[in-house]
Amino acid sequence: MYRLQKRMKKENIQLRELPWKDIYTKDKVSHDMGKVIPTMIVTWLPFAFYVMLPLIFTFPRQFLSDHFLNKQQLSEFQRKSLKLKFVQEQKIWKLIQETFTPSPAVSPNSLSDNPVRECNGLEIQEVMRARPLFEDQLSLDKLPRNHLVALCKLHSLLTFLLPSPFLRKRLQGKCTVLQAIDFALRRDGTKELTERDLQKLCYQRVFPTSGVSSVTMQMCLASWLQTSENLKDSEVSLYLHLSLFKTKSQKG
């Protein structure tokens, strides 16, 4: 990460100019350091090591980065984490419905469905219909703290006891990273993505990954990229809520 930062500064490279994997890794390392460094500091304290060691082995995902987890542990974590993220989506839907003020441009029906756990992508038309709402009543600067906290949890951002301005800054940063990855994927294409790549990208966008075929994950990612391409960079709130507009999968 240090070498990447140094190269970006030296060559004046913008985030969007990097390959998607470099952007993803840069963001992931920053996130992991937020967990690993405090853990290391605490374990250096007298006698704390003997207390922390059992906790670290019992809850590795809470204290360690993905580098310390095997493939099975990562898969299990993603499954449990997505389950919690779906709960946050339900909570966010309720918050939206509580604060929703009907307007001629937006139909309440576009926000009435619960998030689904199996999908083939995003409801692009519903996103476009709800667009005016996220530019006004649900813009990032107007969201209350409980909504911001739920949104942070949805995007795997630590909240601690941070006030709303700091949460908005974190969400803005997350949106910038996601937009940069989307831009890089549209530029470089997605045909060469491995199944593991698809799992990473779909998990990051709160799409189901457990027991989902590569074809379905490709469809989900393609619909996300198509939708995000139609959004302006300034539409941060709508972008961060995109996962709520999942399509219901059609089962025969």
Side-chain angles (χ1 to χ4, degrees):
M1 180 178 173
Y2 171 75
R3 284 182 294 180
L4 178 61
Q5 291 275 38
K6 187 177 180 180
R7 184 166 70 90
M8 289 178 67
K9 186 175 181 180
K10 182 179 179 181
E11 301 177 19
N12 195 26
I13 299 174
Q14 301 300 313
L15 190 64
R16 291 191 175 193
E17 297 175 24
L18 296 172
W20 78 264
K21 281 191 176 181
D22 286 350
I23 305 171
Y24 179 92
T25 301
K26 184 176 181 296
D27 179 59
K28 193 73 173 64
V29 169
S30 298
H31 179 267
D32 287 345
M33 287 299 99
K35 295 186 300 180
V36 175
I37 291 177
T39 301
M40 293 175 63
I41 292 174
V42 172
T43 55
W44 288 340
L45 298 175
F47 304 107
F49 176 80
Y50 301 101
V51 177
M52 287 296 298
L53 193 61
L55 289 175
I56 291 172
F57 279 105
T58 305
F59 307 103
R61 195 60 186 83
Q62 280 68 36
F63 295 100
L64 301 174
S65 70
D66 291 351
H67 295 88
F68 295 90
L69 307 178
N70 58 40
K71 187 176 180 180
Q72 183 178 355
Q73 287 175 316
L74 278 173
S75 178
E76 181 64 16
F77 163 74
Q78 283 194 355
R79 186 185 66 80
K80 291 181 178 179
S81 179
L82 279 172
K83 196 172 182 180
L84 294 175
K85 287 175 183 287
F86 291 137
V87 172
Q88 293 303 319
E89 286 184 334
Q90 296 277 2
K91 183 176 180 179
I92 292 171
W93 272 121
K94 290 179 181 178
L95 290 170
I96 288 175
Q97 290 168 339
E98 288 173 4
T99 59
F100 183 77
T101 302
S103 66
V106 182
S107 167
N109 292 329
S110 65
L111 300 175
S112 62
D113 290 333
N114 288 328
V116 293
R117 305 190 181 194
E118 297 178 3
C119 67
N120 295 320
L122 297 178
E123 288 279 9
I124 300 177
Q125 291 183 347
E126 292 299 312
V127 174
M128 295 300 110
R129 285 176 61 191
R131 203 171 185 177
L133 178 64
F134 286 90
E135 292 177 346
D136 186 13
Q137 295 104 313
L138 292 174
S139 61
L140 195 64
D141 62 328
K142 292 183 180 179
L143 296 180
R145 190 179 185 280
N146 58 344
H147 195 141
L148 293 171
V149 169
L151 207 53
C152 283
K153 290 180 179 179
L154 181 65
H155 291 285
S156 303
L157 296 173
L158 300 175
T159 58
F160 301 114
L161 298 174
L162 294 175
S164 296
F166 287 90
L167 296 180
R168 290 190 180 94
K169 186 175 181 180
R170 288 197 168 192
L171 288 166
Q172 179 77 57
K174 186 66 175 183
C175 183
T176 299
V177 169
L178 287 171
Q179 288 173 334
I181 292 177
D182 285 358
F183 183 86
L185 287 169
R186 286 193 293 267
R187 179 193 63 216
D188 301 333
T190 60
K191 292 183 179 180
E192 302 300 321
L193 295 176
T194 65
E195 184 175 2
R196 181 63 187 139
D197 290 337
L198 289 169
Q199 287 175 342
K200 287 180 180 179
L201 293 166
C202 285
Y203 171 77
Q204 190 180 44
R205 287 153 183 76
V206 203
F207 286 120
T209 58
S210 180
V212 178
S213 68
S214 296
V215 174
T216 300
M217 287 190 286
Q218 276 278 12
M219 290 173 60
C220 290
L221 184 59
S223 72
W224 176 286
L225 295 177
Q226 182 183 351
T227 305
S228 65
E229 187 176 19
N230 290 302
L231 301 183
K232 295 179 289 187
D233 289 348
S234 59
E235 294 181 280
V236 177
S237 184
L238 178 55
Y239 193 96
L240 293 169
H241 286 83
L242 279 183
S243 71
L244 275 67
F245 294 90
K246 297 183 182 76
T247 61
K248 294 179 180 178
S249 61
Q250 301 295 323
K251 294 185 178 182

